[in-house]
Amino acid sequence: QAEQTPAVKQFREVIIPDTITVSELANRMTEKTADIVRELMKNGIMATATEVIDSDTAELITTEFGHKPKRISESDVELDLGLEESNPENLVTRPPIVTIMGHVDHGKTSLLDALRESKVADGEAGGITQHIGAYQITTKTKSKISFIDTPGHEAFTEMRARGANVTDIVILVVAADDGIKPQTIEAIKHAKAADCPIIVAVNKCDKPEANPQKVRTELLQHDLMPEEMGGDVQCIDVSAKNKNGLNDLIEALELQADLMELKSDPTINANGVVVESKVERGKGSVITLLVKAGTLNVGDIIVVGTESGKVRALLNDEGERINKAGPSMPVEVLGLSGTPNAGDIAHVVETEA
């Protein structure tokens, strides 16, 4: 007999990434590409089969055809690749990761340099040859603290936007002679959005016109209650110039870190977040990576965003070659195929495939 019973239309769950080509969407819905193009035209979108449409449009079309759209973002796909679960038994305490934020000329960089200075021992002045955007200091009590210096915080905002929460504690630098400025408020908002505890460093206390008390009063208007006023925000008066109060600041960080009980499993395949990435002559693509969990070894194969490669070399924040980097350690990684974006998640995979 010639009349076949018409095939029952299959409705399926269609996975929609951030962006998708029209033909790929048709494939996933098992519909004809021409029908999809027609449907898009109805909605006022002129698109050919090879054109890329965004997830909202794709979702709309999918629903029009009676399928069930399932949104999934690129970053989720990657995470499925390889974030190994930590084994609770292997958890060890890891150093806190601190981001220094604040208004543009309130002395973030000089504070960072002053904190680093304390580690450059015995007049080995100028021992910091390169700026890698993140580094670690060892405190008097032999504990370590990692700092991220995010110029303009774009990396920080990027990472926030991608849900990669790199920072454990935010140091908010406020100049004692200047008080809270729009960028300071912005930094406070970022830190709150990221649920990061804030420690306020009231800088430039060496200046005659410094008024640290005024800064504390201004903080109240932004829901930050200094400890002196019965709140829980540690405010430390410092002077990056005279190196005053730096030990108090470091103690405040250690105290905060102890409260947070930061832990990580160093035995799993490493994963981390890109703080900076650049191309350097003679080195190729170089990324500064902050290891979140696991241990990264030379020779590991890592996937970072859309790039991948074999770790050719690891350099610590003093530019020395090292063989491995553990949790909360900032490290420069050489050997990637291209330069990923700041805020990309990096993880080690078993094989190139």
Side-chain angles (χ1 to χ4, degrees):
Q1 73 210 46
E3 300 102 60
Q4 293 266 311
T5 45
V8 179
K9 181 166 170 171
Q10 294 275 323
F11 291 117
R12 47 193 77 219
E13 186 176 64
V14 179
I15 290 185
I16 298 176
D18 297 333
T19 53
I20 186 169
T21 62
V22 176
S23 53
E24 172 60 16
L25 182 62
N27 279 346
R28 291 187 186 191
M29 297 199 298
T30 55
E31 302 282 354
K32 294 193 186 70
T33 313
D35 295 346
I36 309 277
V37 173
R38 201 169 303 127
E39 189 60 51
L40 281 163
M41 280 183 175
K42 275 193 211 157
N43 286 297
I45 298 169
M46 298 298 167
T48 57
T50 53
E51 256 172 78
V52 174
I53 53 175
D54 62 37
S55 47
D56 294 334
T57 316
E59 189 170 348
L60 182 77
I61 299 299
T62 311
T63 333
E64 292 281 339
F65 279 93
H67 299 290
K68 186 170 178 273
K70 177 172 189 243
R71 290 285 280 267
I72 172 164
S73 140
E74 272 300 308
S75 43
D76 303 345
V77 178
E78 289 165 13
L79 290 182
D80 291 350
L81 262 176
L83 289 190
E84 262 186 82
E85 280 307 302
S86 324
N87 175 351
E89 288 163 22
N90 296 337
L91 288 181
V92 294
T93 308
R94 63 175 179 81
I97 298 171
V98 179
T99 301
I100 299 199
M101 304 178 91
H103 190 68
V104 63
D105 50 6
H106 282 194
K108 294 193 296 271
T109 318
S110 48
L111 183 63
L112 268 170
D113 289 346
L115 286 166
R116 266 161 107 180
E117 232 20 19
S118 51
K119 101 174 188 189
V120 182
D122 314 326
E124 180 202 329
I128 304 121
T129 43
Q130 51 171 350
H131 167 81
I132 78 162
Y135 46 81
Q136 224 174 27
I137 66 168
T138 305
T139 65
K140 289 196 170 67
T141 56
K142 294 286 172 273
S143 56
K144 292 187 182 322
I145 301 177
S146 297
F147 289 95
I148 304 183
D149 176 15
T150 47
H153 311 311
E154 61 269 289
F156 189 79
T157 334
E158 246 313 288
M159 294 171 199
R160 273 299 315 139
R162 313 268 294 273
N165 224 345
V166 235
T167 311
D168 302 311
I169 305 170
V170 167
I171 292 186
L172 185 67
V173 182
V174 188
D177 58 343
D178 209 10
I180 289 181
K181 286 276 178 281
Q183 280 175 324
T184 321
I185 299 172
E186 203 178 310
I188 295 176
K189 287 194 181 127
H190 277 311
K192 289 201 171 205
D195 254 347
C196 277
I198 298 176
I199 293 179
V200 180
V202 186
N203 194 14
K204 303 194 184 182
C205 285
D206 51 281
K207 289 199 161 181
E209 62 274 27
N211 186 347
Q213 202 44 48
K214 180 166 161 279
V215 173
R216 288 175 171 70
T217 322
E218 286 181 3
L219 286 169
L220 288 172
Q221 300 161 8
H222 300 282
D223 290 340
L224 292 179
M225 280 281 282
E227 282 182 338
E228 297 88 337
M229 302 179 177
D232 55 359
V233 176
Q234 303 189 68
C235 286
I236 316 289
D237 292 347
V238 298
S239 155
K241 197 168 150 206
N242 301 348
K243 313 259 189 297
N244 292 342
L246 297 184
N247 287 337
D248 302 341
L249 184 58
I250 288 174
E251 277 168 23
L253 286 169
E254 290 180 311
L255 181 68
Q256 184 63 51
D258 286 347
L259 288 173
M260 295 168 80
E261 297 190 333
L262 305 164
K263 291 197 174 7
S264 173
D265 182 345
T267 59
I268 58 174
N269 278 342
N271 63 40
V273 178
V274 178
V275 182
E276 286 183 326
S277 76
K278 51 187 187 287
V279 177
E280 280 186 25
R281 284 185 57 184
K283 285 188 184 174
S285 168
V286 179
I287 61 170
T288 301
L289 190 67
L290 203 58
V291 180
K292 293 268 297 182
T295 303
L296 181 63
N297 302 291
V298 173
D300 281 350
I301 294 159
I302 59 172
V303 176
V304 189
T306 50
E307 308 296 340
S308 64
K310 194 168 189 165
V311 178
R312 251 198 354 250
L314 295 173
L315 303 173
N316 68 8
D317 51 4
E318 290 172 5
E320 302 159 353
R321 286 194 165 224
I322 50 176
N323 292 325
K324 53 176 200 258
S328 296
M329 180 154 183
V331 61
E332 281 198 331
V333 183
L334 278 59
L336 277 185
S337 52
T339 41
N341 303 327
D344 276 349
I345 312 271
H347 38 81
V348 171
V349 290
E350 297 299 334
T351 57
E352 283 283 2

